[in-house]
């Protein structure tokens, strides 16, 4: 009976292991980019943006908000000259972007200004009861050279980048923040703390769910392997006991 259980467990572990590996293989296969089309695509992305390092100081000159992030702006607008809907996808260049803002007890604001007539504003809110914060408002105003008229959009009822007071929020995975119907922001390598900084360094990081998903596969494989080792050890010990008992009966 014990042996059957062990055999079953070994079988299951192996099954789990192979299923996981196969699953990962399948995921890899799916995520391989398709071969480039022969005709040039209408809207080519500008590639992965560079990570900027921004901070805001409060009235006493202490850093009260820190944000490391790589940002890509995606605007959909009607082009008068082309008489059609166009998507403008632009990376924010951190070397040309100035940060400013303000902090109080329940609100922290980060403004990013680039010389290409782009202003992005992020507002974080702290709930002092639950001691949790989030990004609740994003706005943009842009007037790029090839735009017929200035573009602006905002949304004050967002609920992104939720974290706990004293901790920073981290997301290494690509994340799309939908702000309005015609404006979204893609973040890459994001690390932010809008409240509760002590000194110049980030608090411990809470990782976003997207990053945690990347961890699940190694954990499952590790657990299955650990289980296998344990079972083999157990089988070995039971086997030794058996043969020992066998000698005694002779
Ligand atoms: C930009 O946004 C549009 C509309 O949401 C979407 O279809 C498109 O894939 C986005 N482009 C990029 C490069 O993310
Ligand atoms: C500035 O931030 C520091 C650290 O978070 C805080 O102790 C201080 O009270 C803040 N000052 C003001 C005027 O908000
Ligand atoms: C703050 O958090 C508490 C407890 O979770 C909740 O009841 C309250 O509605 C929140 N306040 C705001 C302004 O969201
Ligand atoms: C603002 O964001 C919320 C949540 O993502 C969304 O439901 C709502 O439609 C947005 N409002 C506007 C004006 O785009």
């Amino acid at each position: 009976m014990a042996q059957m259980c062990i055999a079953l467990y070994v079988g299951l572990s192996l099954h789990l292991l192979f299923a996981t590996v196969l699953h990962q293989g399948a995921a890899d296969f799916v995520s391989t980019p398709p071969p480039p089309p022969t005709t040039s695509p209408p809207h080519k992305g500008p590639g992965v943006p560079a990570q900027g390092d921004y901070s805001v100081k409060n009235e006493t000159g202490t850093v009260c908000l820190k944000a490391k992030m790589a940002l890509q702006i995606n605007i959909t607008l009607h082009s008068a000259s082309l008489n059609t809907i166009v998507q403008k996808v632009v990376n924010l260049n951190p070397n040309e972007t100035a940060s400013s803002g303000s902090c109080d007890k329940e609100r922290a604001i980060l403004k990013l200004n680039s010389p290409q007539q782009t202003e992005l504003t992020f507002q974080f809110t702290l709930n002092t009861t639950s001691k949790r914060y989030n990004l609740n408002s994003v706005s943009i105003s842009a007037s790029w050279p090839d735009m017929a008229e200035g573009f602006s959009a905002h949304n004050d009822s967002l609920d992104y980048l939720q974290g706990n007071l004293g901790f920073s929020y981290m997301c290494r995975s690509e994340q799309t923040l939908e702000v309005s119907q015609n404006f979204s922001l893609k973040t890459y390598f994001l690390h932010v703390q809008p409240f509760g900084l002590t000194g110049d360094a980030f608090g411990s990081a809470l990782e976003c769910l997207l990053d945690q998903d990347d961890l699940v596969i190694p954990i499952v494989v590790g657990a299955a392997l650990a289980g296998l080792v344990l079972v083999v050890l157990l089988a070995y010990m039971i086997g030794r006991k058996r043969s020992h008992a066998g000698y005694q009966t002779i």
Side-chain angles (χ1 to χ4, degrees):
M1 186 60 201
Q3 270 161 342
M4 249 179 74
C5 279
I6 288 166
L8 200 69
Y9 182 77
V10 171
L12 267 175
S13 300
L14 281 174
H15 184 79
L16 203 64
L17 199 66
F18 285 129
T20 312
V21 168
L22 275 178
H23 172 80
Q24 194 171 22
D28 283 348
F29 178 73
V30 170
S31 65
T32 356
T38 42
T39 55
S40 64
H43 308 293
K44 238 176 125 204
V48 175
Q51 190 186 43
D53 193 348
Y54 310 108
S55 62
V56 175
K57 287 178 179 162
N58 71 6
E59 282 148 21
T60 50
T62 343
V63 173
C64 54
L65 179 155
K66 269 172 78 74
K68 285 188 173 192
M69 52 190 177
L71 295 173
Q72 189 174 76
I73 300 166
N74 184 344
I75 290 176
T76 306
L77 53 82
H78 185 265
S79 157
S81 58
L82 298 171
N83 195 26
T84 178
I85 303 291
V86 293
Q87 262 144 32
K88 303 216 167 275
V89 180
V90 167
N91 289 341
L92 202 69
N93 181 352
N95 296 332
E96 300 179 336
T97 301
S99 61
S100 60
S102 63
C103 306
D104 61 36
K105 263 207 146 57
E106 295 175 21
R107 227 162 29 143
I109 291 170
L110 170 67
K111 273 187 202 291
L112 299 179
N113 282 280
S114 86
Q116 284 85 37
Q117 305 300 309
T118 309
E119 181 174 275
L120 276 170
T121 307
F122 300 84
Q123 180 181 287
F124 295 86
T125 308
L126 175 69
N127 182 329
T128 45
T129 315
S130 63
K131 303 240 188 303
R132 286 179 64 76
Y133 61 79
N134 68 2
L135 172 66
N136 79 296
S137 163
V138 174
S139 64
I140 187 173
S141 69
S143 68
W144 297 337
D146 52 343
M147 276 181 178
E149 54 193 59
F151 176 89
S152 70
H154 73 101
N155 191 333
D156 297 334
S157 48
L158 303 172
D159 191 13
Y160 292 128
L161 319 188
Q162 301 157 10
N164 287 329
L165 182 61
F167 291 84
S168 57
Y169 173 96
M170 184 184 267
C171 204
R172 283 180 278 221
S173 307
E174 235 173 88
Q175 196 177 17
T176 303
L177 310 180
E178 302 284 352
V179 178
S180 69
Q181 214 166 19
N182 44 15
F183 165 49
S184 68
L185 261 183
K186 218 182 234 179
T187 70
Y188 302 73
F189 325 115
L190 174 83
H191 194 185
V192 61
Q193 185 167 349
F195 297 100
L197 281 161
T198 49
D200 222 9
F202 280 116
S204 315
L206 297 170
E207 295 242 359
C208 64
L209 279 173
L210 288 165
D211 287 357
Q212 284 165 20
D213 285 350
D214 291 346
L215 276 177
V216 168
I217 286 164
I219 286 172
V220 169
V221 171
L225 280 177
L228 265 178
V229 168
L230 210 79
V231 163
V232 169
L233 217 74
L234 222 81
Y236 171 74
M237 269 153 62
I238 290 173
R240 255 176 69 122
K241 230 180 184 162
R242 281 262 166 85
S243 58
H244 219 75
Y247 278 119
Q248 277 178 341
T249 52
I250 287 174

